[in-house]
């Protein structure tokens, strides 16, 4: 029994340590022990033990009251970014796309019920929350997330839908049934449009990125700001950039095929 218990404890410790690291984000860049414990559902004593271990390892720093991540955590993702061809192939395509449409362009992958940004080129800040590689947002509330969900098996879609769907701004889709219908529409038309559902003043259009074998490996989007005097609908804005966006996604598909 003891031989089996040790690996289980080790795995649990790893999971908790990663949970502590993941609890920090743009809105929670610096936290107290109590805040970390609350965001990770750990006791104060357990959270303190993991935080101090991360301090000793150099991944977290503290002034005695507040804790924050150090740049050393970037090493955890560097192995993926340096070995994966997808971010390397997508970034120059995004740069060309952004220059062509004069808007910010991004790429992401699906991780559970969230999207995770793997590349981004921004022309200006149009969101209150900063976006960079590694930023996560609920897939249900984003154009890239909906594109990715639309091409997932039914059981994966159901996991996200069963967890509940909530509009973050009060606009657009706010329940699972409506999102299910929207995913079917997105899969049929080949793109998704989200208009101020993630944040007021932001709309975006996204398309899937296919691999050579036809599976969806990522999503790409163009984000646009919305002002009271902005002319045209979200669909109008989407149609203006969609040809370039689809062309960019095809470029990535061809690059992926050539890199095999």
């Amino acid at each position: 029994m003891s031989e089996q218990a040790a690996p289980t404890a080790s795995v649990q410790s790893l999971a908790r340590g990663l949970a502590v690291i993941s609890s920090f984000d743009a809105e929670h860049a610096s936290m107290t022990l109590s805040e970390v414990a609350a965001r990770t559902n750990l006791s104060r004593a357990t959270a303190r033990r993991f935080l101090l271990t991360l301090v000793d390892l150099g991944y977290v720093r503290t002034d005695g009251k507040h804790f924050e991540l150090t740049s050393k955590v970037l090493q955890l993702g560097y192995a993926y970014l340096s070995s994966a061809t997808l971010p390397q192939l997508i970034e120059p395509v995004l740069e060309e796309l952004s220059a062509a449409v004069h808007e910010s362009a991004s790429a992401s992958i699906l991780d559970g019920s969230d999207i995770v940004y793997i590349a981004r080129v921004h022309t200006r800040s149009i969101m209150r929350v900063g976006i960079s590689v590694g930023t996560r947002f609920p897939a249900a509330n984003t154009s890239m997330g909906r594109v990715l969900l639309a091409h997932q098996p039914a059981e994966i879609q159901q996991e996200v839908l069963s967890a509940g769907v909530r509009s973050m701004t009060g606009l657009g889709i706010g329940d699972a049934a409506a999102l299910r219908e929207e995913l079917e529409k997105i899969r049929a038309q080949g793109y998704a449009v989200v208009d101020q559902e993630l944040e007021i003043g932001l709309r975006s259009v996204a398309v899937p990125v296919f691999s050579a074998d036809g599976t969806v490996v990522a999503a790409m989007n163009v984000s646009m700001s919305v002002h009271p005097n902005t002319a045209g609908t979200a669909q109008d804005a989407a149609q203006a950039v969609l040809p370039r966006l689809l062309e960019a996604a095809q470029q990535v598909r061809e690059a992926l095929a050539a890199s095999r």
Side-chain angles (χ1 to χ4, degrees):
M1 293 292 291
S2 60
E3 291 182 358
Q4 295 179 346
T8 301
S10 298
V11 170
Q12 186 180 58
S13 294
L14 174 61
R16 288 177 171 177
L18 292 174
V20 169
I21 291 175
S22 299
S23 69
F24 292 88
D25 57 26
E27 294 181 317
H28 304 86
S30 178
M31 293 188 287
T32 64
L33 170 60
S34 297
E35 289 171 331
V36 173
R39 283 180 58 80
T40 56
N41 293 318
L42 298 173
S43 68
R44 280 174 51 88
T46 301
R48 181 177 184 276
R49 185 168 69 251
F50 283 102
L51 282 168
L52 293 181
T53 298
L54 290 168
V55 169
D56 289 341
L57 293 173
Y59 292 108
V60 171
R61 59 173 164 257
T62 181
D63 61 5
K65 181 178 180 181
H66 292 87
F67 296 85
E68 59 185 42
L69 298 180
T70 71
S71 60
K72 189 175 180 180
V73 298
L74 295 174
Q75 296 177 9
L76 299 176
Y78 180 75
Y80 167 74
L81 291 173
S82 62
S83 62
T85 59
L86 186 57
Q88 295 169 343
L89 292 174
I90 282 182
E91 188 166 349
V93 177
L94 289 179
E95 290 175 352
E96 184 178 343
L97 171 63
S98 178
V101 300
H102 307 292
E103 301 285 0
S104 299
S106 307
S108 69
I109 58 173
L110 189 66
D111 183 22
S113 60
D114 292 338
I115 59 166
V116 180
Y117 281 71
I118 61 171
R120 176 165 170 78
V121 176
H122 60 88
T123 56
R124 61 189 179 278
S125 177
I126 59 176
M127 294 190 69
R128 289 190 296 271
V129 178
I131 302 176
S132 58
V133 172
T135 296
R136 307 173 73 95
F137 287 122
N141 300 110
T142 62
S143 61
M144 289 191 289
R146 290 179 185 174
V147 159
L148 292 166
L149 286 172
H151 289 83
Q152 296 302 308
E155 58 269 21
I156 294 180
Q157 290 185 7
Q158 184 56 39
E159 284 183 21
V160 175
L161 294 172
S162 62
V165 177
R166 180 181 64 87
S167 172
M168 300 180 73
T169 64
L171 301 176
I173 294 173
D175 62 77
L179 180 56
R180 190 187 301 277
E181 291 182 9
E182 182 68 9
L183 294 181
E184 293 176 359
K185 175 184 174 183
I186 290 167
R187 188 178 180 100
Q189 69 186 14
Y191 66 93
V193 180
V194 167
D195 187 18
Q196 304 187 79
E197 294 184 48
L198 180 65
E199 182 173 304
I200 297 297
L202 172 71
R203 62 172 50 143
S204 63
V205 54
V207 299
V209 176
F210 293 94
S211 65
D213 63 6
T215 59
V216 174
V217 294
M220 298 173 65
N221 86 343
V222 170
S223 301
M224 299 157 279
S225 56
V226 185
H227 306 288
N229 60 348
T230 298
T233 66
Q235 284 293 337
D236 293 334
Q239 293 303 319
V241 301
L242 194 55
R244 290 278 193 173
L245 185 54
L246 289 168
E247 181 182 339
Q250 181 60 27
Q251 282 182 261
V252 177
R253 181 174 188 172
E254 292 171 357
L256 284 171
S259 67
R260 296 181 65 181

